[in-house]
Amino acid sequence: MTNAPIADRRSHIRTHHGHSFDDPYEWLREKESPEVVAHLEAENAHTDAETAHLADLRETLFQEIKGRVLETDLSVPTRRGDWWYYSRTEEGAQYGIHCRAAAAAGDWTPPHLEPGLAVPGEEVLLDGNVEAEGHEFFSLGSFAVSDDATRLLWSTDFEGDERYTVHVRDLVTGEQFADEIPNTGGAFFTPDGTGILYTTLDDSWRPDTLWLHRIGTAVDDDVKLFHEPDERFWLGAGITRSRRYLVIAVGSSITSEERLVDLDGPITAEPQLVWPRSEGVEYSLEHAVVDGEDRLFILHNDGALDFELVSVPASDPQGERRVIVAHESGRRLLGMDAFRDFATVEYRSEGLERVGLLDYATDAVDELSFDEPLYSAGVSGNPEWHSPFLRLGYASFVTPGTVYDLDLATRELVLRKQQPVLGGYDAAEYGQKREWAVAPDGTRVPISLVWKRSFGEPGAASRPLHLYGYGSYEHSIDPGFSVARLSELDRGVIFAVAHVRGGGEMGRHWYEDGKKLFKRNTFTDFVACAEHLISTGVTTADRMVAEGGSAGGLLMGAVANLAPEKFAGILASVPFVDALTSILDPSLPLTVIEWDEWGDPLHEAEVYEYMRSYTPYENVRSDAAYPRILAVTSLNDTRVLYVEPAKWVAALRVAGASDVLLKCEMVAGHGGVSGRYNSWKERAFELAWLLDTLGLAKA
């Protein structure tokens, strides 16, 4: 190791509930300080020096990723109104190009578009490469075409801080309107296309207000339609697929409330409350017309841990509830999409996503079947109220992303496209399966494994292994395909996912048992998965690298303190490793909202003590032999501030950790760098470090 940057220690006392903590690196929070910037640049220079020997491997990995991607490609067109909408990429271009082509009357079969060939009648709506010119970072936020197909709105972020500016263009004349709306979250057109509905963010990055902007008028004259004052709640809005209602939704992690505006009347009318908020009750709604009556289908967890689906009259949403899909323990209802003649219901059972078709006449749900033992499937890209096809997305660890259209008349799955993987990829050469670890409290924890068969089955001989985990917000790590992952698998690495508590893989209880005062289950589950993989001969501690990002980065920091001897390395992306400091400060972005997930340590001593017992930064051990650690962050991240990994790395070094690196992107946000080539290079950097840690740098 070259001489690593050593941050100054400056006393900063924080006192809560009778406990004082001296935080010597809190000064690194001053983002605009030249001293802080210089420290981050020194960290980057140190990381560059320590990974210089991997330059050739990084380039090899980048070329492998790039070489497997069809760089000039198109998405499957989606019909909306009289147009087919799609996006395409061009070789050498960082960003997508959004297009449309006219649809023939009555033709619902998407046109077969050949990559690289001119599309008959193509109209380019927005070229991300043009938008990004002159900017180091570019993110496209909202993107919408008016119902009459004559206007386009889109929003841009050039900093990575997720505050977007809305722009509008006339698609008939090509004129770009002078209207620009800053500081937005989401945005979409009113049904008549003359106005824009959008949300704005408060100082804590919380969408809190819904506005109506009339195109061609001053933003200062915009009409406030709704404001949510409670700092725990986010605000969102949208229009039902039926185009009948504007839905205004507010929600925290555990509570939601929705209002409707009937678009048969003025959009500025007083919103109608559906169900009043009740602490711990979540719900979402869809509009359908059943036997000539407007009905609201509401998915909720009021007395139903894994949710149930009910129907109520749209004219009296707080009236009698008719149960459509009853609550069933272990079957977590996830969502519903209503169409003119039927609905889809998505749910999770036995750790896998399921899709069923709901018959309005009988309330029966007909589940679609798929062949693989591990897979992900879901409804996506269906803007029309009535269509003879239902668009579905499908993937597994070994099957590239696939688009199907379900023929609703025949129930036949029609393959529209599968993600091309160049270089002779053969899914049969790779295997996937699920195993189960046992946590300290006896809970069985699923582990998904994927590997290349030519290296032998897992457990036949010890192999290098990459173990990924997340475990928060009821977010599930479902089976999915990755081109970049092939570079690991083809070198003999087994990739594994630890489906730890705090996620949603096994139902709502799986989430409840890994949050707030049960958060430690997330960490001990991950360690149990690592121990299982070692004890069954799949790998050894010196051949295993762990990875997690954001809240999964908190998992990485906690695991590093709990069981540093179980891993050769830990890769932590935008890691939430100074969790207690952040959750104690309601002035920071999103903190108050996060109390539903982690608890409120500011006002509750029990929560404070519990978080203090696991938060990685405050529990760095001077008696531990830490594995190699790479922390990756971004200066403009508003979700997990760069200061958290910066402080953590500084504390690890002082505690004696001998190989700890920090890489800070100076122009990026929570999702890292922008642009597909840049993101491939970033992943190649991480994979080179990971392979080096596994002893495969020359492979």
Side-chain angles (χ1 to χ4, degrees):
M1 291 286 290
T2 57
N3 291 329
I6 301 298
D8 287 347
R9 294 175 62 87
R10 304 175 187 177
S11 182
H12 177 91
I13 306 297
R14 184 190 74 207
T15 301
H16 292 279
H17 306 293
H19 173 261
S20 293
F21 173 66
D22 191 352
D23 187 346
Y25 304 116
E26 179 63 12
W27 65 272
L28 289 169
R29 190 175 299 276
E30 297 297 323
K31 179 181 174 181
E32 305 301 327
S33 165
E35 192 176 12
V36 171
V37 172
H39 177 76
L40 295 175
E41 290 175 340
E43 289 281 14
N44 283 340
H46 174 64
T47 297
D48 288 344
E50 289 302 311
T51 59
H53 66 290
L54 300 175
D56 289 345
L57 178 58
R58 286 198 296 268
E59 180 61 22
T60 296
L61 292 167
F62 170 71
Q63 292 299 335
E64 288 178 4
I65 297 169
K66 181 170 172 284
R68 291 188 175 106
V69 174
L70 184 61
E71 296 178 68
T72 299
D73 201 6
L74 306 96
S75 66
V76 178
T78 296
R79 180 157 180 171
R80 180 170 175 245
D82 296 330
W83 297 86
W84 291 106
Y85 292 89
Y86 59 96
S87 62
R88 58 181 176 83
T89 55
E90 294 181 350
E91 184 175 352
Q94 292 271 18
Y95 302 98
I97 302 167
H98 302 269
C99 310
R100 70 179 180 182
D107 184 6
W108 288 91
T109 300
H112 178 67
L113 306 181
E114 290 290 344
L117 298 181
V119 177
E122 177 179 273
E123 180 181 346
V124 174
L125 300 177
L126 189 76
D127 187 336
N129 304 286
V130 174
E131 294 294 309
E133 285 180 1
H135 301 280
E136 291 186 61
F137 180 91
F138 165 69
S139 175
L140 178 64
S142 299
F143 181 86
V145 176
S146 59
D147 284 1
D148 65 5
T150 64
R151 288 176 171 174
L152 170 75
L153 76 75
W154 72 101
S155 65
T156 55
D157 168 20
F158 297 117
E159 302 294 331
D161 62 2
E162 299 182 60
R163 290 181 183 268
Y164 291 86
T165 298
V166 174
H167 315 272
V168 193
R169 179 181 300 143
D170 188 311
L171 292 175
V172 178
T173 67
E175 173 194 4
Q176 182 158 329
F177 291 93
D179 310 57
E180 285 196 351
I181 310 172
N183 185 41
T184 67
F188 53 96
F189 282 109
T190 57
D192 64 7
T194 66
I196 296 172
L197 295 159
Y198 66 95
T199 57
T200 52
L201 284 62
D202 66 11
D203 291 340
S204 295
W205 267 262
R206 177 181 68 99
D208 69 337
T209 307
L210 177 67
W211 301 85
L212 170 63
H213 171 77
R214 289 298 179 185
I215 297 170
T217 66
V219 173
D220 290 345
D221 296 332
D222 289 355
V223 178
K224 182 188 296 185
L225 298 182
F226 189 82
H227 174 72
E228 174 52 53
D230 192 325
E231 293 181 342
R232 298 176 302 157
F233 286 78
W234 292 58
L235 170 68
I239 295 176
T240 58
R241 183 178 282 103
S242 64
R243 313 306 285 171
R244 175 67 186 276
Y245 295 101
L246 167 67
V247 182
I248 301 172
V250 295
S252 70
S253 295
I254 62 171
T255 306
S256 57
E257 180 180 76
E258 301 199 358
R259 289 171 168 81
L260 297 179
V261 176
D262 190 334
L263 295 177
D264 282 349
I267 201 167
T268 54
E270 183 71 19
Q272 175 193 19
L273 178 64
V274 179
W275 291 355
R277 72 187 68 176
S278 176
E279 189 76 7
V281 174
E282 303 166 58
Y283 70 90
S284 60
L285 65 83
E286 285 279 308
H287 167 242
V289 180
V290 181
D291 294 331
E293 180 188 10
D294 286 310
R295 305 285 297 183
L296 300 180
F297 284 78
I298 301 179
L299 195 70
H300 73 91
N301 69 338
D302 185 9
L305 181 65
D306 281 320
F307 289 71
E308 75 174 0
L309 180 66
V310 301
S311 171
V312 299
S315 60
D316 182 21
Q318 295 177 39
E320 181 182 359
R321 304 180 185 182
R322 186 163 73 86
V323 175
I324 305 299
V325 180
H327 173 260
E328 181 180 302
S329 181
R331 182 189 63 186
R332 169 68 163 95
L333 299 182
L334 300 173
M336 181 210 180
D337 281 286
F339 298 88
R340 191 190 71 177
D341 302 322
F342 73 101
T344 63
V345 181
E346 296 181 74
Y347 46 101
R348 184 183 301 281
S349 64
E350 298 176 337
L352 292 177
E353 292 179 304
R354 319 279 179 170
V355 179
L357 302 186
L358 171 67
D359 187 318
Y360 288 148
T362 65
D363 295 342
V365 176
D366 182 16
E367 182 177 305
L368 304 181
S369 61
F370 301 96
D371 294 335
E372 294 183 274
L374 299 178
Y375 66 86
S376 299
V379 177
S380 65
N382 295 279
E384 288 292 291
W385 180 232
H386 174 60
S387 164
F389 293 103
L390 177 71
R391 179 67 52 85
L392 299 166
Y394 177 89
S396 78
F397 285 118
V398 300
T399 301
T402 305
V403 176
Y404 289 110
D405 276 349
L406 177 69
D407 187 320
L408 294 169
T410 66
R411 296 299 171 92
E412 176 190 3
L413 278 175
V414 182
L415 175 65
R416 297 302 189 195
K417 182 167 185 171
Q418 189 168 86
Q419 173 189 353
V421 182
L422 306 183
Y425 174 75
D426 181 358
E429 295 180 0
Y430 300 84
Q432 60 173 349
K433 70 173 182 177
R434 179 158 287 174
E435 294 193 1
W436 299 83
V438 179
D441 64 358
T443 299
R444 297 176 73 239
V445 182
I447 310 170
S448 294
L449 302 174
V450 56
W451 67 96
K452 190 167 187 179
R453 296 186 188 278
S454 60
F455 291 92
E457 296 293 302
S462 173
R463 299 257 297 280
L465 187 136
H466 177 185
L467 182 61
Y468 185 87
Y470 187 75
S472 292
Y473 303 105
E474 203 180 1
H475 176 68
S476 300
I477 307 300
D478 290 310
F481 187 80
S482 167
V483 164
R485 188 187 302 139
L486 295 177
S487 291
E488 299 180 72
L489 303 181
D490 288 353
R491 288 169 169 81
V493 178
I494 296 171
F495 179 79
V497 178
H499 300 285
V500 296
R501 280 175 284 185
E505 286 88 342
M506 302 299 290
R508 174 49 71 96
H509 78 92
W510 203 249
Y511 171 49
E512 298 290 347
D513 288 350
K515 65 184 290 193
K516 288 190 172 181
L517 298 178
F518 298 97
K519 190 64 205 171
R520 277 186 168 272
N521 286 335
T522 304
F523 316 140
T524 53
D525 281 1
F526 192 87
V527 173
C529 289
E531 291 173 339
H532 172 85
L533 294 167
I534 294 169
S535 65
T536 55
V538 176
T539 190
T540 55
D542 61 350
R543 305 186 80 189
M544 179 159 45
V545 170
E547 180 184 6
S550 196
L554 165 64
L555 170 61
M556 294 300 100
V559 165
N561 291 334
L562 280 174
E565 73 284 354
K566 302 293 183 186
F567 306 95
I570 290 177
L571 172 55
S573 299
V574 289
F576 187 42
V577 283
D578 191 16
L580 183 53
T581 302
S582 294
I583 299 301
L584 279 167
D585 188 350
S587 71
L588 292 178
L590 311 181
T591 286
V592 174
I593 292 171
E594 293 292 311
W595 286 345
D596 283 337
E597 178 75 18
W598 311 99
D600 178 5
L602 183 62
H603 301 101
E604 300 176 33
E606 182 183 19
V607 173
Y608 177 87
E609 288 299 323
Y610 188 75
M611 290 192 71
R612 186 167 76 88
S613 74
Y614 71 71
T615 189
Y617 171 60
E618 293 184 33
N619 287 281
V620 169
R621 296 165 49 188
S622 58
D623 63 339
Y626 283 99
R628 296 176 68 179
I629 293 175
L630 171 62
V632 179
T633 188
S634 298
L635 185 63
N636 294 329
D637 190 343
T638 57
R639 298 181 184 233
V640 178
L641 302 186
Y642 73 91
V643 67
E644 298 205 22
K647 290 167 64 174
W648 181 51
V649 166
L652 285 166
R653 289 213 183 101
V654 169
S658 60
D659 193 344
V660 182
L661 301 177
L662 174 66
K663 187 175 189 291
C664 181
E665 294 293 340
M666 304 304 282
V667 185
H670 191 65
V673 296
S674 67
R676 56 176 180 159
Y677 293 96
N678 291 338
S679 66
W680 296 343
K681 287 180 179 178
E682 181 70 13
R683 191 54 180 166
F685 177 92
E686 295 167 353
L687 287 178
W689 177 89
L690 184 148
L691 291 171
D692 186 42
T693 303
L694 292 173
L696 298 173
K698 297 184 183 302

